């Protein structure tokens, strides 16, 4: 689980986490900011079945509000995480971080 992250309009927000697939090596990580309608995929290199994948995702919010980012892993066989993780970003005009 990823706790709620605070962000500021126009400033880069970085989310970090890890994933592991116990049966197959993870081939890529996918991220969605539109509730899963579209996914952005980033390949993962040099991972075996026993490795955690440390991932990082960044974006620059353009407006105030709550953003929900979905995160899922894709293994070497093309199978995706059955239920994506959810990360929430609360964005304000003026936030002291």
């Amino acid at each position: 689980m990823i706790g709620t992250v605070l962000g500021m309009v126009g400033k880069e927000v970085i989310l970090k986490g890890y994933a592991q697939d116990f049966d197959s090596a993870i081939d890529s990580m996918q991220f969605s900011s539109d509730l899963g309608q579209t996914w952005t995929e980033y390949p993962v290199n040099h991972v075996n079945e026993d490795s955690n994948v440390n991932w990082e995702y960044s974006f620059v919010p353009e407006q105030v509000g709550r953003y929900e980012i979905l995160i899922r892993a894709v293994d070497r066989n093309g199978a995706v995480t059955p239920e994506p993780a959810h990360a929430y970003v609360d964005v304000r005009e003026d936030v002291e971080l």
Side-chain angles (χ1 to χ4, degrees), residues 25-44:
I26 294 174
D27 193 53
S28 63
M29 295 297 301
Q30 295 182 339
F31 303 90
S32 176
S33 60
D34 58 9
L35 299 176
Q37 292 180 18
T38 61
W39 294 88
T40 301
E41 187 165 10
Y42 297 97
V44 175

Side-chain angles (χ1 to χ4, degrees), residues 15-90:
L15 302 174
K16 296 180 181 183
Y18 72 91
Q20 184 175 35
D21 186 331
F22 298 102
D23 296 327
S24 180
I26 294 174
D27 193 53
S28 63
M29 295 297 301
Q30 295 182 339
F31 303 90
S32 176
S33 60
D34 58 9
L35 299 176
Q37 292 180 18
T38 61
W39 294 88
T40 301
E41 187 165 10
Y42 297 97
V44 175
N45 298 316
H46 312 295
V47 178
N48 62 45
E49 288 80 10
D50 298 324
S51 297
N52 283 345
V53 169
N54 294 309
W55 56 261
E56 187 173 295
Y57 176 76
S58 66
F59 71 103
V60 178
E62 297 179 9
Q63 58 187 347
V64 170
R66 176 167 256 212
Y67 292 73
E68 181 176 4
I69 309 298
L70 301 181
I71 304 133
R72 66 185 185 185
V74 181
D75 72 14
R76 283 193 180 140
N77 301 316
V80 297
T81 305
E83 192 65 36
H86 297 252
Y88 298 94
V89 180
D90 287 336

